[in-house]
Amino acid sequence: MSDTDTSTAETDDREFVRDTRYITSRVTRDGRDGYPVEAGRYRLIAARACPWANRAIIVRRLLGLEDAISMGLCGPTHDERSWTFDLDPGGVDPVLGYERLQQAYFARFPDYPRGITVPALVDVPSRAVATNDYAQLTLDFSTEWAEFHRHGAPELYPERLRGEMDELMVAVYRDVNNGVYRCGFAGSQRSYDHAYARLWERLDWLENRLADQRYLMGEAITEADVRLFTTLARFDPVYHGHFKCNRQKLSELPVLWAYARDLFQTPGFGDTVDFAQIKRHYYVVHTGVNPTRIVPAGPDLANWLSPHYREQLGGRPFGDGTPPGAPRPAEIVPAEHWAPLPPAW
């Protein structure tokens, strides 16, 4: 997703409103939308800078879908037209042959009127976008793509918990995931104050919920944790100052800070986070918020590796499953872009 595309909107005197009209076709086992699940057919186009795309990167890795779904990464900055493949040699995605993600959208919808967002799942044979419905995409990775999960993959969307999980994820999206944007892009003091109050009310609620249980749904990681984590990982480097979410830093919230570090130090989470790209995206692209495009040097990120002691709450991070293996060599985040992780990672 992009925060300067037409996928988002802001006005001078109203609250920030995100355009959530995504391409709702899905890749399913029965192929009812014309896109059947098929190993090697689709390419996940993501950007490490984007929290919504970071979700898809994490879920793909936790479930072990790397062999079934290839991944292309856009750079952290873009113009009003599209995310670009400037990280690849010659600035061209090696599988799709595109310079811009926009080309995959136009291959299916020549007059596509809305924002060119990541993540997007692209049908490689047609080189056209299949879906950009990021919330449904990761749930489908858990359910529709089960045949291609690695041995020991965790159950990220357990059927017995879906009712409560869905309600929780809606609340977290409204007040936290999108809530930070409603603060940062508020068009008036009144809309900012309202968004700020909702954000901190929900963060306090989450602080209480997680005080006595290791993860949002109990003893094992679920998609709900993935969705909250990508916002928490960006909180101190970006949202606290850039988006004026500054009642406290994440590192000043004892429970949420320990919870976030617990996840960061879990294989599949921290090893997908690129703090350098995150900061560059927000501070360079959001010229309405940061017209100088100066990227701050801080904060110090080494504290992400400090002990969290959440294991004292018990639980099994992957439930009956196992941790994912090391990242693919081509998908390793450059060491200089993040706090260094233990050698085993």
Side-chain angles (χ1 to χ4, degrees):
M1 193 178 298
S2 170
D3 308 310
T4 55
D5 291 335
T6 53
S7 60
T8 62
E10 55 183 312
T11 63
D12 290 336
D13 58 355
R14 296 191 180 94
E15 67 178 26
F16 167 78
V17 178
R18 185 179 298 279
D19 185 346
T20 56
R21 294 171 295 169
Y22 301 108
I23 300 168
T24 57
S25 51
R26 295 169 57 191
V27 177
T28 56
R29 280 173 290 186
D30 61 11
R32 58 185 178 272
D33 291 341
Y35 296 104
V37 166
E38 182 181 327
R41 175 168 171 173
Y42 303 95
R43 186 160 176 81
L44 174 66
I45 303 301
R48 293 196 188 280
C50 172
W52 321 94
N54 196 177
R55 295 179 180 184
I57 296 172
I58 292 171
V59 171
R60 171 179 172 270
R61 176 150 152 63
L62 293 178
L63 297 178
L65 289 171
E66 293 96 333
D67 286 337
I69 304 170
S70 68
M71 183 169 70
L73 292 171
C74 298
T77 62
H78 57 77
D79 58 23
E80 67 281 357
R81 291 170 57 197
S82 175
W83 293 86
T84 56
F85 294 103
D86 49 288
L87 301 177
D88 291 305
V92 175
D93 180 83
V95 173
L96 301 176
Y98 289 150
E99 296 178 351
R100 292 176 172 272
L101 179 56
Q102 183 184 57
Q103 293 168 271
Y105 280 71
F106 287 175
R108 183 173 175 192
F109 304 106
D111 299 316
Y112 189 73
R114 297 189 290 279
I116 307 301
T117 63
V118 290
L121 201 60
V122 176
D123 177 47
V124 173
S126 65
R127 300 198 304 161
V129 64
T131 184
N132 68 342
D133 189 349
Y134 70 95
Q136 186 61 51
L137 177 66
T138 49
L139 298 181
D140 285 344
F141 281 177
S142 281
T143 55
E144 302 296 326
W145 287 84
E147 176 186 354
F148 297 100
H149 290 180
R150 66 178 175 86
H151 179 72
E155 193 175 5
L156 296 179
Y157 193 44
E159 191 166 359
R160 68 188 184 281
L161 298 176
R162 288 179 190 176
E164 183 184 357
M165 267 186 73
D166 289 344
E167 290 182 7
L168 174 64
M169 291 190 296
V170 166
V172 169
Y173 166 80
R174 181 190 62 229
D175 300 333
V176 180
N177 301 144
N178 196 48
V180 294
Y181 288 89
R182 292 173 64 237
C183 290
F185 291 140
S188 70
Q189 188 69 50
R190 180 177 180 180
S191 60
Y192 165 76
D193 289 344
H194 176 70
Y196 182 92
R198 290 284 292 271
L199 167 67
W200 285 103
E201 180 181 4
R202 183 60 62 187
L203 289 175
D204 288 341
W205 183 87
L206 289 166
E207 183 92 349
N208 289 330
R209 182 182 180 95
L210 289 163
D212 299 314
Q213 62 185 54
R214 192 167 179 184
Y215 304 109
L216 284 173
M217 299 306 300
E219 67 171 15
I221 291 166
T222 64
E223 167 123 359
D225 299 292
V226 176
R227 296 187 179 196
L228 179 57
F229 171 78
T230 58
T231 296
L232 297 182
R234 289 156 177 78
F235 201 90
D236 286 4
V238 177
Y239 303 143
H240 177 269
H242 187 60
F243 278 178
K244 307 179 185 70
C245 302
N246 59 356
R247 192 192 80 179
Q248 292 163 278
K249 295 179 180 177
L250 173 65
S251 56
E252 296 169 344
L253 300 172
V255 173
L256 278 172
W257 174 226
Y259 163 80
R261 297 200 316 280
D262 187 4
L263 290 175
F264 185 85
Q265 295 171 33
T266 298
F269 284 84
D271 52 23
T272 71
V273 175
D274 189 319
F275 286 118
Q277 287 197 20
I278 288 168
K279 291 185 357 180
R280 182 162 178 78
H281 170 71
Y282 284 92
Y283 287 103
V284 172
V285 171
H286 297 165
T287 54
V289 179
N290 185 41
T292 65
R293 294 187 171 185
I294 294 172
V295 180
D300 181 2
L301 301 169
N303 55 0
W304 278 94
L305 296 179
S306 62
H308 53 76
Y309 305 110
R310 295 281 293 178
E311 67 278 1
Q312 296 176 7
L313 294 174
R316 298 171 298 155
F318 299 98
D320 293 330
T322 58
R328 303 291 174 90
E331 297 180 7
I332 294 174
V333 177
E336 65 271 20
H337 286 199
W338 57 336
L341 289 173
W345 287 36

